[in-house]
Amino acid sequence: MTIKDMKISTRLMAVMGGLTALLVAVVVLAISQMQAMRHDTTAITTNWLPTVGLVGDLKAGLADLRAWESQHVLNTDEGAMERINKLASQAVATVEATRQEYGKLVNEPDEKALFAALETDWKAYQALHAQLMDMSTKREKFPARKLLEGDGKVLFDKIIVTTKKISAYNQTGATSASSKTEKSFHTARVSMLTALLVGAIAAVFATLWVTKSVTMPISTVIDLADNIADGDLSKTITVDSMNETGQLLAALQRMQAKLASVVYQV
C-alpha cells in the first residue's frame, strides 16, 4: 500500500499518533529532568547544607570546650572551678551529640575517611580532657597548663583542620549539586522549547499534507460530477488510489460509463 492509497481516517490517525508520540516524549523527558532536579535539591537540603551547619556547630563547641579548659587551669577558686567543670562537661556532651548527628549524614567514601579521622582524634581528645581536668582540679596547674598548651593544642588543631576539610568537602558537594540542578533545568527548558518548535512545524506540515490529500481529490470529484451533470461524458476519469476519494472516483467512472452506454443506445 502506498501513501496515496491510505484512507483519510488512517492519515488523520497517523498525524495524531505522531503528535501524541512527540508530546509523550517531551513529557517523559521533562519528568526525567524534574526527577534529576529533585534528587540534587534533596541532596542539598538533606545532606550537604545540614552537614555544613553541623560542622560549624562542632567547631563552635570545640572552641567553647577549649575556652572552659583554659579558664579551669587558670582558676584556683573551688566554686569557680566546679562551675567551669560543669560547663566544660556540657561542652563535651554537646560536641559528642553533634558528632553523632553528623555521623548519620556521612555516606561518601572520602567523607567517611574524614569522619573516621575526626572520630579517632576526638576520642583521644576526650581522654586528654579528662586527664587535664583531673590535674587542674587537684591544683596541679603547671602540668595541666603544659598539657593544655602542648599535646592538647596539637590535638585540638588537628581536629579543627579535619573539620575544615569536612566543611570544604560538603560545600563543594553542595555547589556541585546546585550546578547539576541548574543544568537539568536548562536541559529540560531547551528540550521542551525545541520539542514545541518541532511539534508546531510538524503540525503545520501534517495539516497541509492531510488537507491537500483530501481537498484536491474532492475538488476533482466535484468538477467531474459537474461535467456529468452538464451532460459532458467525454472527460476521462482516472482512478489513482484506493482510498475513499479513489473509491468515489471509481464510482463516478462507473456511473459515467453507464450513462454513456445509455446515451449511445438512445
Side-chain angles (χ1 to χ4, degrees), residues 76-117:
T76 57
D77 181 74
E78 290 289 345
M81 285 195 297
E82 184 177 353
R83 178 180 61 82
I84 295 171
N85 189 40
K86 290 181 180 179
L87 293 172
S89 297
Q90 291 176 3
V92 170
T94 299
V95 171
E96 177 60 20
T98 304
R99 185 195 64 80
Q100 290 181 8
E101 189 67 23
Y102 162 60
K104 298 176 182 178
L105 301 178
V106 177
N107 49 35
E108 299 293 332
D110 292 340
E111 192 175 13
K112 286 181 179 180
L114 290 171
F115 180 72

Side-chain angles (χ1 to χ4, degrees), residues 142-211:
F142 180 76
R145 183 172 181 178
K146 185 178 179 180
L147 182 61
L148 177 68
E149 297 176 353
D151 292 344
K153 186 177 186 305
V154 172
L155 196 52
F156 174 80
D157 290 343
K158 188 177 179 182
I159 293 174
I160 292 300
V161 169
T162 301
T163 57
K164 287 181 178 179
K165 290 181 179 179
I166 293 173
S167 181
Y169 178 85
N170 282 276
Q171 286 176 349
T172 301
T175 302
S176 177
S178 178
S179 298
K180 289 181 181 179
T181 300
E182 182 64 26
K183 184 178 180 180
S184 296
F185 171 75
H186 178 72
T187 301
R189 181 176 61 182
V190 171
S191 300
M192 292 182 70
L193 289 176
T194 301
L196 179 63
L197 178 61
V198 172
I201 295 174
V204 170
F205 277 100
T207 300
L208 292 175
W209 173 63
V210 173
T211 301

Side-chain angles (χ1 to χ4, degrees), residues 132-146:
L132 172 68
M133 298 302 286
D134 182 63
M135 293 168 63
S136 180
T137 301
K138 293 178 179 178
R139 297 183 180 276
E140 298 174 4
K141 299 296 183 179
F142 180 76
R145 183 172 181 178
K146 185 178 179 180

Side-chain angles (χ1 to χ4, degrees), residues 28 39 92 115 130 134 161 189 240-241 247 254 256 262:
V28 170
H39 176 270
V92 170
F115 180 72
D134 182 63
V161 169
R189 181 176 61 182
D240 58 359
S241 68
Q247 294 173 13
R254 291 193 300 272
Q256 184 186 52
V262 171

